[in-house]
Amino acid sequence: MRLASWCSAGCRDVGSVRGAFITFEGGEGAGKSTQIRLLGERLRKAGREVVITREPGGSPGAEAVRHVVLDTGAAEPFGTAMEAILFAAARADHVDQVIRPGVLADRIVLCDRFMDSTRVYQGATGRLDPVFLRALERVAIAGMRPDLTILLDLDPREGMLRALARRGKGAPDRFEKESLDKHRKRRLAFLDLAAREPDRFRIVDAARTPEEIADEIEAHVARFLKRLERRSRDEAAGEPFAARQDMAARA
């Protein structure tokens, strides 16, 4: 299914359009930024309003945290727990200032990384206490869970080659400079998350051309939005509005 065919059935009808929160996850160099841009372009052509954002960052306060954690690495000496707390503070601001307002305004919010990156980077390979991480997540997202998560899966060796080529002569960031073995563990951790939450995740092979990847992502998102539109119309007609995660499960 393509976004254009989904929209041709009347997606602009009053009461048939709702906002949605779609996240992109994956290792370094998997192409998240490129695919978010391509999906945003296709959604806009289909008549939807789109917000494109990223983590860490996305709001002024969160961008300041990004500089401290990623660009300068100033938080690294204080340990993984401190990094997780800073990421959670940035996420809370991001949700409050950008993500929730966008969804409530019936926009499609596309985010480069979200809570699953914390689960993998600070949890699976940072070895933080899962109870501690769940508490941080609960406070940071305040119920703003992704409706759909696109996991771009790529061999870490290829991903690192891409990331370093993209950066050129610039210094690698806090995570790009880590060992290939650690990146391999992160790939497995992302795949494990997807296996445990199949209703929310869609795994996409990121070793193909950008156009091939974008076509598959478009198909996943078009199916999800068609379900969302149908449920919105049912609600407008007085029928109960089912949980969004149920819609993602059938996409």
Side-chain angles (χ1 to χ4, degrees), residues 4 6 67 76-77 122 159:
W6 155 71
H67 178 70
E76 187 174 1
Q122 283 74 48

Side-chain angles (χ1 to χ4, degrees), residues 16-251:
S16 70
V17 177
R18 281 183 176 269
F21 180 31
I22 301 174
T23 58
F24 282 65
E25 297 285 1
E28 308 300 326
K32 296 181 298 299
S33 298
T34 297
Q35 292 304 321
I36 285 178
R37 175 179 56 79
L38 292 174
L39 178 60
E41 291 171 357
R42 295 182 184 200
L43 283 165
R44 290 183 178 113
K45 286 180 181 178
R48 291 306 305 257
E49 292 187 65
V50 178
V51 175
I52 294 179
T53 189
R54 67 176 184 176
E55 288 209 350
S59 64
E63 287 292 336
V65 174
R66 180 186 183 93
H67 178 70
V68 170
V69 177
L70 283 189
D71 299 336
T72 69
E76 187 174 1
F78 297 97
T80 307
M82 177 61 74
E83 284 186 340
I85 292 169
L86 289 171
F87 281 135
R91 181 163 298 138
D93 188 69
H94 189 206
V95 166
D96 185 60
Q97 298 297 319
V98 177
I99 298 172
R100 195 184 309 279
V103 174
L104 291 177
D106 293 332
R107 297 183 175 95
I108 306 294
V109 178
L110 307 178
C111 189
D112 184 343
R113 298 197 183 281
F114 195 60
M115 64 186 192
D116 297 300
S117 282
T118 297
R119 292 174 173 182
V120 168
Y121 281 73
Q122 283 74 48
T125 59
R127 298 182 179 179
L128 285 185
D129 179 4
V131 175
F132 172 70
L133 274 184
R134 284 196 296 270
L136 281 181
E137 179 181 297
R138 184 171 60 252
V139 172
I141 70 173
M144 197 71 226
R145 291 177 56 82
D147 298 312
L148 186 67
T149 296
I150 304 296
L151 174 57
L152 293 170
D153 181 49
L154 182 68
D155 183 280
R157 183 182 296 277
E158 174 63 24
M160 291 308 301
L161 289 174
R162 289 185 186 181
L164 294 175
R166 177 190 63 207
R167 191 167 289 275
K169 295 182 179 180
D173 69 22
R174 161 74 178 84
F175 299 113
E176 289 172 347
K177 67 183 182 181
E178 292 181 322
S179 70
L180 185 60
D181 181 63
K182 184 166 283 190
H183 289 293
R184 287 178 174 136
K185 290 177 180 177
R186 286 172 180 154
R187 181 192 189 187
L188 293 176
F190 273 122
L191 291 172
D192 180 63
L193 285 176
R196 287 192 277 122
E197 295 189 56
D199 292 350
R200 175 165 65 89
F201 277 87
R202 298 293 177 271
I203 301 173
V204 175
D205 178 4
R208 298 168 295 167
T209 67
E211 292 75 19
E212 289 173 324
I213 297 167
D215 286 345
E216 182 179 344
I217 291 172
E218 180 182 7
H220 287 309
V221 172
R223 283 192 292 269
F224 166 72
L225 291 176
K226 186 174 182 180
R227 296 283 182 181
L228 181 62
E229 176 190 355
R230 185 178 304 153
R231 294 301 179 89
S232 298
R233 288 177 173 174
D234 289 346
E235 185 187 47
E239 297 181 15
F241 185 73
R244 284 180 179 168
Q245 248 57 39
D246 291 340
M247 289 181 289
R250 298 181 179 89

